[in-house]
Structure formats: C-alpha cells, structure tokens
Amino acid sequence: MLAIVAGAVAGTKPALAGVGQLRQSTVKIYVTVQQEDFLQPWQARPPLNGNGSGFIIKGKRIMTNAHVVSDARFIEVQRDGDTKKYPATVAFIGHDCDIAVLTVKDESFFAGSRPMTIGSTMPSLNDSVLVLGYPMGGDRLSLTKGVVSRIDYSLYSHSTVDGHLIMQVDAAINPGNSGGPVLYGDKVVAIAFQGIMGAQNLGYTIPLPVIEHFLKDIEDGNYDGYPELGVTHLETSNPALRADLGMPPGSSGVVVGYVDPFGAAAGFLKPRDVLLAIDGHPIANDGSVGLEGNNVEYAELIERKQCTEKIIFTIWRDKKTEAVIIPLKRRPDPFIFRQTYDRKPEYVISGGLVFTPLSRGYLATLGNDLNTPAAQRLLYTSRYAKLDNLHKGKTQFVVLASRLPHPVNTYCDSHLNQILASVNGKSVKTIGDIPEALNAVQGGFHIFRFEGNDNPLILDARMVGQADGEILKQYNVPAATFIQKQEPTK
Amino acid sequence: MKFLPFILIMILSVTMPTVAQTTNNLHQCIVEVLVTAQTFDSHVPWKKNRPETHAGYGVVIADGRLVTTEDLVRNAVLVEIRRPGDANKIKATVVVADPRVNAALLAAPTPGYTPAEWAAPVKTGAKIQLAQFDDAGQRQNGEGRITGIEVASLPNAPHSILTFQALTDLKLDRVGAPAFHEGKLVGLVMQYDESSQTSRVLPAAVLKRFVDDVSNPPYRGIAVAGFTWVPLIEPAKRQYLGLPDDDRGVMALRTIPGSNISKVLQSGDVILTWDGCPVDSQGYYDDPEFGRLILIHQIAGRRHPGDDITLTVWRNRKQEEIKFKLDAYDDSRSLVPLNIEGLQAEYLLEGGLLIRELSADYLLAAGAQWMIRSNPRLVNIYLTRSQTPAKTGDRVVILSAILPDPINVGYKMIRDEVITAVNGKPISNMKDVFAIRDSDGLLTKLSTQTLGMDLVLDKDTLPEANRRISELYRIQKLQHRNPLPPVGPVRRN
C-alpha cells in the first residue's frame, strides 16, 4: 500500500449543522437489485431488496454510492420524515469510484429540501466528523460521530481493481450507511462506502478529492472515469540500482518496471525510464511528491486530473533528461477484469454448450471451484493476461461455462471452465466469432479446441442442428446467443 | 542355463523357512518400525522443521531384509525396529525407498524372525487376515476381504499404482500393517478409513517387483511411457477420427520431450493395442493377473525401464505399428519437479535475495487451497508445463523471497518472480546460476520475467552484506548445492 499523508489544510473548526437541517438533506434509498447469473447468462438471479443512504446536492440531484444502485431494477427515494417514496433513476454512475448521482422525475420530492454543500477543505487527522445514514434498515436518520483516523490509498471493493484515496473514520459503517454523507461542520467531505470485515469501529469513506473528481467529470454530461497511467514502478532508494541506471548524483525518482499496453503511458514511457518529476514536482526515491506541504504518492497528481488533460513527466532516459507529455486517457481495457454492473453477460449456446466471456463476475461465481486446474488457468489469465501476453490476438477470453445436458453433449464435461481457442479451425478472439465459425462445419463435425489442451471437443454438426431448438426449449432459454454490439471507442 | 531359475526356486522352496502357515505364527514376520523424520521447510530451504516421530509396521521378507511403505520412512533421520511388545530397539537402514510405488526396503538384523512369503495374485473377494499389536504387544487379529483391485492414487504422493481395497473388521491405526492370504503376505496397509472400514493395501505384486528390482542394482525405478492420453468414448469424436465402432482405443495427447516415445508417437494417435493387449476406449485392458485394469499398470506394473513395447495406433485413418523402449520414471526431468520427499532445495542467498528452483512442494505448502493461494503464474507453470520442459534440464528459477537488508533496499516487495538471467547471462536452472556465480564471484544483477529493469546489488559491499545477513538471520550456509541430480526417483541412505 502506498503511504500518504493527506492534504489537510489547517483551518478554524466549522460549526456543526443543526439536526433539523440535516434531515432536510438526507435521503433513504430503497432499491431492488438483480444480479447476473454467469452460469445461466440468459437469466438473472432472483431480485433482492436493499437499502442505502444518499444526500441531496445542488441541481435537484441525489448523491450516493454506485454499489447502492448497481444492477438496480427499481429505485425509490424517501426524505427523512416523509411518508412518500419517489421513483428515482441513475443519471451518472462511476463504478471505479463508487459514486452515483440520481434524479427524481417528480420534483415535488425536493420541495422543502436543502441541498448539502460539498466542502472545499478536507478535515485533518483527529478532526471530528459526523456520519449520517440509515444503517441496518432503520427508517429514521442515524447520526454517528467519529474522528478522521487515517487518510490513505486503498482498494475500492466495488470495482475490485481500482484504488483511490480513502478517509478512514472511527465510526462504524454498517450496511445501509452506504452512500450517506460524512460532514465536517455543515459541509460534505466524504461519502460512507465500505467497512472491513472483522474490524470494529472502522469505516471507510470516499473523500472530497474523489467526489470533486466525479462531479467535474460529469460536467460534460458523461462519466469517463479516472485516467489510467498504466505504469508499475520501483523505488530507486537502492544506490546500486541508481548507479546501474546511471542516475546523476542528487537526482531522485522512481524507475519504470512495466508499462501496461492499455494505459495512457503506453508508447510514451518504457521500462528503465526514471520518472524524475511530474508536472514540475520532483519525485522522491520512494515515489512521493511534496504537495501543499504534505508528501503524497505521485499518482495523486494523476488522480486529480480528468481524461482530457495532460501530464508532464521529466524522465531520465539513455543518460539524458527528457520531458514527456502524456495525454491522459482511459482506454477500454477488457483485460483488467473490472467487476461490471448493469450489463447482461454475453453468451453463445451451441449443442447445449454455454460459452461466455471470462469476467470478474464469472470468476466470483466459481468460488472454491477455482481450486481446480482448469479454473486456476482462468484465475491466472485474469491476473497475467497482459503481463504474460496471453491477450495477444484476443479481445475476450471465451470460456465453456456450463453444459445443458442433452445426448448431443453427453461426454463434454471434461472441457468445462476451459478457454476456447478455436471453433472449426477459426480462432476465437471474441464471443462474436463463434456463430460465424459454426458455419464452417468440418466434414459434418464441429471442432472446438481449447487453450493449452490437445484434446478437442467434437460434436456431430447435424445432431447439433437438430438439438439446438430442443435444448433451448427444454431449458427455457429465450435465445441461443446474446452478443453485445462493439462499444464505440472514445 | 535356461533351467537355472527353476532349480533356484526348487532349492529356495526347500531350504527357506516355510511361510507362517497358520494364523498363530504369522506375526513372527512382523516388526514395529519407529521413525524419526525431519523435513526441510518448503519455503526456507536452510531451515529444518522440528523432528517428528512416526510408528508403523514392516514385514521381514528375508534374513536382514524388511519391507514397509515409503511414506513411513520418508525424510527419516533415524529408523529403528523392534519386536512388538519388546522394549529393545534395533537400528535399521533404508536400502531403497521409492515414493513412486510407496515401497521401502530396510536392512536390519532379524534373528528369530520368520520371513514372510509372497502371496500369489489374488482376485476380488479373496479373504485376508490382518494383524497389528496394541501398546502392550498383544496381537490383534482381523479378518477381511479384498473388495476391489484397481489402479488408484497413493495416499501421500500424486501417483497412481495397483491398489487393493479391503473391507476389514480390525480398526487399523498404523501404516504398514500386513495383510495375509492363506498364510502368505498379500500386501501392506497404506491407509484406513474408519467410517467405511476399508483400507487401501499396497499389493504384494508391487512390493515383490520393487524388492526384485532393488536386488538387481542399479535400481532404476518404475517404467514410464512418457505421454498423456484421454479416453475416447465420444461417438462424434470416434466418427470424426474414422475409427471402427469397436469401443477400442484411447487418444494420445502430449509426449514428454526427450522421451523415447516422443520419437514415434504423435499427438492425436489413437492407441488400439499396447504390448499385445487390446485397450478399450476408457483405457482399460484385461490384465492376466488382476483383471480389468487401467493402462498405467501395464506400463508401470508389468514392464521395466528399457523394455521394448509395441503398440498399434490409429493414425490418419490407418492402423500402424510403432515400437519404442520404456523410459525410467525420473522426477528430475520435469520442469517443475514434484519433490514428494521434500528434499532440501538447492538455493543461493545473495544479498538477501533467495534464488531457487520452483518445485511442487513449494506451491503445495500453501495448503489445500494452494491453487488459489500460491502465485498464479507459478501454479500455472506447474499445472500446464511441468512435464514439458523446452529442453532437458530446464527448470523455473525464481526469486522466492528477499531478506531485508540495506544491500537490497527498495526491492523487498518482490517475490515469486521468475528469474530469466543473472549478471546479464540467461539461465535455465540453478546449475547455470551456480556456474555463473562461480565464474563471476558474485551475482550482482538479476533479470526477471515481469520487470523491464534489473535488480542490482552493489558489488563492493555485497560480500560484507552476505556475512551480515548470514549472522543476523542465523543462516549457516548461504547456498546449498546437490552433489547428485537435484531430485531423483529414489533416496538411498
């Protein structure tokens, strides 16, 4: 974990808001969610009811956590003390930062409400904050006081792969608190969002810089997300390493170890480059920069930027100093295996064999079954796809997820959880390649080959043709395929 | 000279003390085997774990010679035997122990014992007698029945061999307890399941072959064919391959590079007969001694390394005959050796950087969930490429861990990285690493698979750092090299 001492600016302690005012701004959110069923991707799991918290912000909008309203089928919001619930819709959702903004069509919902003000100053360590919300399903607003106990980088568990700044408070954050505001004085400085299993009186909140980033991002009517630099670095505190890199005496920085082909730095930085400064701030050997009187991880400077902006690195390359200007962007990266929401899984069924792209959701479905050789390959692929160049020539890894038993596929279980390499001699780069490949019947047979397996799966094409309709009917499958249209690249 | 074996058998049968014919004197061949074992830590290769003691049984098969299961004497630092109930312990030595067949031959003075005689192959349903002893040395007799004869995996090694299943009325509490059929040794108990009252028995056929092989040195271990195969039961696949509809044949997938069979067998060949026996579509054949068994027994259980094998294969819609010589099983030829015995890993600790080869025991040390818990890339290498090194002798050299010290500051987060080169020179195994260190004096640069830059150690302060690390972390030796091939099929004491 990257150490950081947060950007706290000392100031006079603001006055606390009155409880009456707070009740005018907080919202309880009722939500019915339906998660995807990755083993039977044509249908979703049973609907579940849940609730979370939110708060009204200017522009007649409600801010909450993305995870409160992800995969939602129906959302209702209720003001504190109001008996009426109003249907709401998601206007913007940032799964990478776990923030969402809702709107309510019926404007009478907002009558007599007071939008909360987003603060401009982060509290310091040990400053008292107030956590508001509706924990454990209660109908009345709950207030919990706590102090800011740590400000650090941490994983945001909603997307499972993104890390941003978090603010840890010593107030317990329980289910239902999610999305509730954290006030410093009368201003919002964070959103409650996750706790730690087994830890007591320890809550994680999404702090001001992340909220501000989100609000700025949606100003243009779109949520783009955080830019990804895509660089793995190593500190240069080792004198022998510094000498090997030929770093001049007195210089400091971090050395690039790996450049992600899908990151913004791809094509701009390369391994062995030493990052000496970022936007004019010298980078220390441990990767920190001095910012507003504090030492923060250099990545914090990228975190504060939007996808349309640029970042300037001063680098040491080939024993010379160079300036590298990197346009920040977020490329669609199918190989980071971010948890996805509100997207139906794609699938193709042929001869009762159900193929679906490898995804975080699919891996989560496997659970303890991951401890088998076939599934371990999926785990390895999800972590090392880019590092070990497994992704070359692919946009998806297509997995044989399940088998709808029928005489045509009686002997196919040994191939479950394996990655499809080709169908009828045509390589499978994406699930959309399968239907066409199935037309290229090989002498009356369909030949499925899997990655790292010399044992092909062979089906009688004529029997498959006869069985397909029967199987769909038998297992109540509405369509043999669901394939997303390719998303336009921004 | 052809009649010689016959004469020998005649003489033996006359002069050797006859088998314990009655249940009462069966026990005169049984010894208690007491073992003090000490393993090496799978992740800290200079560290020995605390010694453990195990007790089991062995059977005297000739004067001064005993058999027991290999897993009982694995990692033994001291093996002692005693007559059940007797306080007097006698030191024994392991002549050969082979984890591949879970058999061990021990040597110790055995005056007063009556050697057991091998039982002829038995059939399912055969009645057996079992014996074990309580703490006071009182004999407990049990009856049982062979309920199954199959090739099954060993309790403490990832290998499959001929195994008897037996239903018994005696609660067996130690390995190596002997089973007899008509007064002759039919096998040794390898495992007992109390809930089903069944035990898994290492058959006399396996033990006898092992003892015979040991008495014809050098012991070469068991034979392997060097290929992987799958059953061929899918009608569509059989039709696609144009196979006759006779339920025969299994499909060969991969051959181990460098093995004899790799020169003649191709991926996709369908094996119709093996060594004269028809092979069915699930890989079974009719064994003359034990009935329907999986092909593995015909390779490992009936033949020896170097034996000529003829097989008929279905290739390109034609039947062909191919011949090859069986190889000897040799764990050290693997890209990732199993190291079932937990032998000390070769390692080099340079500037606190622990460099070693990947072995299965290293990954399995993570416990039951090791496929999830160990490094995914290393697990994947083991699961998919272990038997197929690009060239003989290739291993996966890893930077296993780093002992923090000023010399390696900035690197301590790196672990389980695959090392591709040291001092700028590519490496394939620890032998290369040691050779480069011997010629260069020190290792100052490590290149890894993931990082596009090298890990560098300061040449001038490295010797002092090594001394410091050795002292601070109390490590007697900063390297361990095996004088013999790092991991072999057999351990000799």
Side-chain angles (χ1 to χ4, degrees), chain A residues 18-27 79-81 134 140-141:
Chain A
V19 175
Q21 287 179 13
L22 299 176
R23 292 181 60 190
Q24 290 174 314
S25 324
T26 47
V27 175
R79 296 243 322 268
D80 197 66
Y134 298 86
R140 306 303 297 266
L141 181 64

Side-chain angles (χ1 to χ4, degrees), chain A residues 234 238 240-241 244 256-257 271 368 371-373 376-377 380 383-384 387-388 411 445 447 452 454-456 458, chain B residues 234-237 240 254 368-369 371-372 375-377 379-380 384 407 409 411 445 449-450 452-454 456 458:
Chain A
L234 203 67
N238 196 302
L241 177 63
D244 184 61
V256 174
N368 276 344
N371 202 42
T372 57
Q376 196 281 333
R377 192 187 190 95
Y380 160 67
R383 302 242 190 104
Y384 284 81
L387 279 172
D388 286 1
Y411 305 102
F445 297 93
I447 299 153
D454 299 316
N455 181 23
I458 295 171
Chain B
E234 310 95 305
K237 196 186 278 179
Y240 172 73
R254 278 186 193 191
Q369 300 270 303
M371 284 189 226
I372 301 174
N375 178 284
R377 179 194 266 155
V379 173
N380 180 261
T384 62
I407 189 93
V409 65
Y411 304 153
K445 195 177 270 198
Q449 192 181 336
T450 307
M453 28 74 62
D454 298 323
V456 192
D458 179 50

Side-chain angles (χ1 to χ4, degrees), chain B residues 408-476:
Chain B
N408 57 44
V409 65
Y411 304 153
K412 71 166 183 272
M413 298 300 281
I414 302 167
R415 58 172 303 155
D416 285 340
E417 255 304 326
V418 176
I419 302 173
T420 53
V422 296
N423 288 1
K425 297 159 200 165
I427 53 157
S428 305
N429 48 37
M430 277 309 281
K431 217 172 101 198
D432 293 347
V433 174
F434 288 129
I436 293 166
R437 192 180 193 270
D438 288 347
S439 70
D440 296 1
L442 290 165
L443 295 187
T444 54
K445 195 177 270 198
L446 255 67
S447 314
T448 63
Q449 192 181 336
T450 307
L451 295 171
M453 28 74 62
D454 298 323
L455 301 181
V456 192
L457 298 170
D458 179 50
K459 184 163 57 85
D460 299 333
T461 55
L462 186 52
E464 175 54 30
N466 280 338
R467 273 191 294 277
R468 185 169 60 229
I469 289 165
S470 164
E471 202 171 293
L472 192 65
Y473 289 93
R474 290 193 285 169
I475 301 161
Q476 287 176 9

Side-chain angles (χ1 to χ4, degrees), chain B residues 148-198:
Chain B
I149 298 174
E150 59 177 346
V151 173
S153 61
L154 291 168
N156 292 306
H159 294 303
S160 294
I161 59 160
L162 183 71
T163 306
F164 294 157
Q165 299 275 0
L167 188 65
T168 61
D169 61 4
L170 187 63
K171 186 189 161 197
L172 297 156
D173 50 13
R174 289 178 183 178
V175 297
F180 300 96
H181 175 65
E182 292 173 353
K184 297 181 182 179
L185 184 67
V186 78
L188 300 178
V189 172
M190 296 190 282
Q191 202 178 34
Y192 176 71
D193 175 43
E194 202 179 337
S195 64
S196 62
Q197 291 189 304
T198 51

